[in-house]
Amino acid sequence: GAVVSQHPSWVICKSGTSVKIECRSLDFQATTMFWYRQFPKQSLMLMATSNEGSKATYEQGVEKDKFLINHASLTLSTLTVTSAHPEDSSFYICSANLGSSYNEQFFGPGTRLTVL
Amino acid sequence: AQSVTQLGSHVSVSEGALVLLRCNYSSSVPPYLFWYVQYPNQGLQLLLKYTSAATLVKGINGFEAEFKKSETSFHLTKPSAHMSDAAEYFCAVGSDKVIFGPGTSLSVIP
C-alpha cells in the first residue's frame, strides 16, 4: 500500500513553454503533499507544501508565480512550471503524507524535466 | 529550525565489509529521523525511521540505525555490504515536513 505515482516520468520542452507534472496517491488520501527538486548529484530541496483545498506554502526562494501548485483533491496535486527555462531542468519529486500520528511520507518516482 | 549533516559525500567499502554512513541532526523539538536510499534516476525508498520508540531501529535490506540523543546522531550501518547496496543515501529529519541531508554516495568494491 501507500503508493505515489507521478506523470510524466520524463518530459522535454522548449524554453518558454509550460509543463504540468501530476502527483497522485493511488491507495490513500493525502491532505498534504510536498514538492521537491533535485539537481544532479545534489540532495532534495523542498519547494513547497501542497494542502488540499488551500494555497500551497512555498519555501523561501521559490517563486510561487513560476511554480504553480494545485491540490484540488485528496489524491492529486499538480506542479506547473510556467515559462520554463533551461535552468529549470531538474528532477522533480513529490511525496504524500499518510497523515498518521507521526510524519510518514511516501515518495513518487520523480519526473525528469529537460528544458531546451 | 531543523537541519541534517552527513559526514562524507562519498564512501567506498569492499563487498562484505561493514557499511557506516554518518548522520548528525539539529532539531529544536524531538525529532523524527529517516534514512532513504535512491538509485539512479529513481525516487526515494525508505530504509528505516526513528519515531521516539526504540533507539535501535532495524530497516529493510539488513540496514539499521541507532539514535543517540547525546551525540545528536543517527548513523546508518550494515554488517556486510552487497554490490546492490551501491546507491545514494539520504538522512532526513522532520515532523510536519522533511528536511534532507546532502546525501552520501556509497560505492561497493568487488
Side-chain angles (χ1 to χ4, degrees), chain A residues 38 43 59 103-104 112, chain B residues 38 41 49 95 97-98 101:
Chain A
Q38 184 181 31
S43 187
E59 295 299 301
N103 180 283
E104 185 166 1
R112 174 74 60 191
Chain B
Q38 184 182 35
N41 293 310
K49 60 187 175 186
S95 52
K97 59 184 179 181
V98 177

Side-chain angles (χ1 to χ4, degrees), chain B residues 37-61:
Chain B
V37 61
Q38 184 182 35
Y39 297 98
N41 293 310
Q42 294 187 27
L44 275 71
Q45 182 180 13
L46 179 66
L47 284 176
L48 48 81
K49 60 187 175 186
Y50 167 76
T51 57
S52 74
T55 56
L56 181 61
V57 182
K58 294 187 182 297
I60 62 172
N61 301 339

Side-chain angles (χ1 to χ4, degrees), chain B residues 34 54 110:
Chain B
F34 309 85

Side-chain angles (χ1 to χ4, degrees), chain A residues 39-77:
Chain A
F39 291 109
K41 305 295 184 183
Q42 295 188 26
S43 187
L44 281 74
M45 299 301 296
L46 180 64
M47 299 175 66
T49 302
S50 170
N51 299 296
E52 188 267 338
S54 63
K55 292 183 178 180
T57 302
Y58 290 82
E59 295 299 301
Q60 190 173 8
V62 177
E63 300 176 60
K64 60 181 180 181
D65 294 330
K66 181 168 185 62
F67 298 99
L68 301 179
I69 292 173
N70 184 278
H71 194 157
S73 77
L74 288 172
T75 59
L76 174 64
S77 176

Side-chain angles (χ1 to χ4, degrees), chain B:
Chain B
Q2 297 175 318
S3 65
V4 178
T5 57
Q6 292 181 241
L7 183 62
S9 59
H10 187 88
V11 170
S12 291
V13 300
S14 297
E15 190 174 16
L18 171 72
V19 176
L20 170 61
L21 303 181
R22 299 179 185 274
C23 172
N24 289 88
Y25 69 91
S26 173
S27 177
S28 57
V29 297
Y32 299 132
L33 294 160
F34 309 85
W35 274 101
Y36 289 91
V37 61
Q38 184 182 35
Y39 297 98
N41 293 310
Q42 294 187 27
L44 275 71
Q45 182 180 13
L46 179 66
L47 284 176
L48 48 81
K49 60 187 175 186
Y50 167 76
T51 57
S52 74
T55 56
L56 181 61
V57 182
K58 294 187 182 297
I60 62 172
N61 301 339
F63 286 94
E64 64 181 37
E66 185 172 9
F67 171 70
K68 292 187 177 180
K69 184 178 180 180
S70 61
E71 299 177 7
T72 60
S73 69
F74 190 57
H75 302 329
L76 181 71
T77 60
K78 181 174 181 177
S80 177
H82 294 164
M83 296 297 294
S84 60
D85 294 327
E88 191 79 18
Y89 291 80
F90 294 98
C91 182
V93 61
S95 52
D96 57 338
K97 59 184 179 181
V98 177
I99 304 300
F100 286 85
T104 297
S105 177
L106 175 65
S107 298
V108 182
I109 304 168

